[in-house]
Amino acid sequence: MATGAAEAGEAAVAVVEVGSAQQFEELLRLKTKSLLVVHFWAPWAPQCVQMNDVMAELAKEHPHVSFVKLEAEAVPEVSEKYEISSVPTFLFFKNSQKVDRLDGAHAPELTKKVQRHVSSGAFPPSASDHLKEDLSLRLKKLTHAAPCMLFMKGTPQEPRCGFSKQMVEILHRHNIQFSSFDIFSDEEVRQGLKTYSNWPTYPQLYVSGELIGGLDIIKELEASEELDTICPKAPKLEERLKVLTNKASVMLFMKGNKQEAKCGFSKQILEILNSTGVEYETFDILEDEEVRQGLKTFSNWPTYPQLYVRGDLVGGLDIVKELKDNGELLPVLKGEN
């Protein structure tokens, strides 16, 4: 019995809880020699509680790795600094620098990333070959993730270098539909893609998994009017938003989905809608940055969640709460109001 209690005590202290920005910065300074894994979590999200258990198990397996949990909404300055928009999110640090990121409750992927970062260094040849093969498969999947994929520094909304910014401007100017990958978010992809594609710089543009080239090539294709024939065109955003808001009689645009809310406001509005018994569909704005930003202008409503009935905006959480308190929510959802 005494041994079990001791083991439980060890597991309990294996994951450190950070409660302030100052404490977090201090931890970054102290843990320069080892891998630091930080879980941005929320106590209201069951998937976060589950991932805390996964972290506790990983802490037992990797005693030289520091595992930390930080309540995202309680320490907003750290969450904003690292652009944490949903929970759970995991950041990986080495030498006080962010080297990797994982969004979502993916226990196998978290385990793989921890093992990969712990192993990076000296491998036996067979292990090294295996990791190279894993990376090659991953890069193949990433380059095929959308018909047109841009690997860039930053995001289309916030490019973090002049070349990436110019590339995004050209693609937008030609109304080209593309997805992007921020190479700053994953050092392994950043270095590996240079070898995979035999192209040493960023940004890199791929169509159907094939490398088209960097900024200079795209400029040449634009000048020769070939760019429009190579890259897929996007439907106009306004048309797309009209279709999406009318996809079901009741449509909720939220962070997460019916099964897994990724912010407290979205969780609350789900609970209210579920209590009405009315059928509704959801759209996860975290999965589509174009919709996330475009809908704010389309509806003239700056925050999420947003609830629509028959294509018309009802409002956000506060308005839905008011309608519920006034007994008006059900008629509105049924289109009677």
Side-chain angles (χ1 to χ4, degrees):
M1 292 291 284
T3 310
E7 284 175 0
E10 283 170 24
V13 295
V15 179
V16 176
E17 181 142 23
V18 168
S20 69
Q22 185 182 353
Q23 191 183 353
F24 179 76
E25 294 298 334
E26 197 175 314
L27 200 63
L28 273 186
R29 282 197 299 273
L30 289 171
K31 300 290 180 183
T32 51
K33 306 269 181 180
S34 64
L35 176 66
L36 175 66
V37 182
V38 184
H39 177 198
F40 289 81
W41 76 297
W44 49 261
Q47 63 271 27
C48 289
V49 178
Q50 180 190 348
M51 293 306 288
N52 278 336
D53 293 339
V54 174
M55 287 244 295
E57 288 303 312
L58 286 171
K60 286 187 212 168
E61 289 174 34
H62 302 283
H64 300 300
V65 177
S66 301
F67 291 90
V68 169
K69 62 179 186 175
L70 184 152
E71 193 178 326
E73 290 167 353
V75 193
E77 53 268 59
V78 175
S79 299
E80 285 165 17
K81 180 179 178 182
Y82 292 101
E83 298 177 341
I84 307 299
S85 60
S86 64
V87 292
T89 294
F90 298 85
L91 296 186
F92 299 74
F93 293 86
K94 277 183 182 174
N95 300 319
S96 304
Q97 297 297 312
K98 187 185 82 172
V99 293
D100 209 345
R101 177 183 182 123
L102 173 66
D103 293 278
H106 308 294
E109 187 63 22
L110 177 64
T111 305
K112 267 171 64 178
K113 279 184 180 284
V114 170
Q115 287 169 345
R116 194 184 297 139
H117 286 293
V118 166
S119 304
S120 60
F123 314 105
S126 61
S128 178
D129 291 344
H130 179 62
L131 281 172
K132 279 179 189 169
E133 186 185 340
D134 277 356
L135 178 59
S136 185
L137 284 171
R138 192 166 166 237
L139 294 174
K140 187 177 180 181
K141 281 183 186 172
L142 280 172
T143 53
H144 285 83
C148 186
M149 274 298 293
L150 175 64
F151 292 80
M152 62 181 290
K153 294 179 179 178
T155 64
Q157 290 71 39
E158 287 184 26
R160 290 169 69 183
C161 84
F163 301 127
S164 292
K165 184 172 185 283
Q166 287 181 64
M167 179 76 93
V168 168
E169 285 169 353
I170 290 171
L171 296 178
H172 282 327
R173 190 157 62 238
H174 288 262
N175 193 31
I176 288 165
Q177 186 171 20
F178 68 98
S179 294
S180 68
F181 185 93
D182 180 2
I183 55 153
F184 282 146
S185 71
D186 193 316
E187 190 61 26
E188 186 183 48
V189 169
R190 180 182 183 178
Q191 300 305 331
L193 199 58
K194 293 177 186 178
T195 310
Y196 177 85
S197 60
N198 195 24
W199 195 271
T201 58
Y202 289 99
Q204 294 181 15
L205 186 72
Y206 292 74
V207 172
S208 302
E210 296 290 325
L211 175 69
I212 303 301
L215 180 61
D216 288 342
I217 300 271
I218 300 308
K219 281 182 172 178
E220 283 175 25
L221 290 170
E222 183 185 33
S224 65
E225 298 184 353
E226 292 175 75
L227 187 62
D228 291 326
T229 64
I230 292 170
C231 299
K233 289 283 189 177
K236 286 188 178 170
L237 180 58
E238 191 170 340
E239 287 169 18
R240 196 173 162 223
L241 294 174
K242 274 182 188 170
V243 170
L244 279 173
T245 52
N246 284 280
K247 189 180 172 189
S249 291
V250 181
M251 272 298 293
L252 177 65
F253 292 80
M254 61 178 287
K255 293 181 180 179
N257 55 44
K258 274 186 188 181
Q259 289 73 37
E260 191 180 304
K262 290 186 176 176
C263 83
F265 300 127
S266 293
K267 183 172 185 284
Q268 287 181 62
I269 206 165
L270 277 184
E271 287 168 354
I272 293 170
L273 289 177
N274 288 338
S275 72
T276 66
V278 171
E279 286 190 15
Y280 64 96
E281 295 282 333
T282 62
F283 184 94
D284 184 357
I285 54 146
L286 298 175
E287 296 289 326
D288 193 318
E289 192 61 27
E290 185 185 48
V291 170
R292 182 181 185 175
Q293 300 304 330
L295 200 59
K296 294 177 185 177
T297 309
F298 179 80
S299 62
N300 196 23
W301 195 271
T303 58
Y304 289 98
Q306 293 183 17
L307 182 70
Y308 290 75
V309 173
R310 296 181 182 175
D312 291 325
L313 176 70
V314 174
L317 178 61
D318 289 341
I319 287 185
V320 171
K321 278 181 173 176
E322 272 180 41
L323 291 169
K324 185 192 172 195
D325 292 343
N326 297 338
E328 296 173 50
L329 182 59
L330 204 51
V332 167
L333 295 178
K334 289 180 176 178
E336 294 167 8
N337 250 349

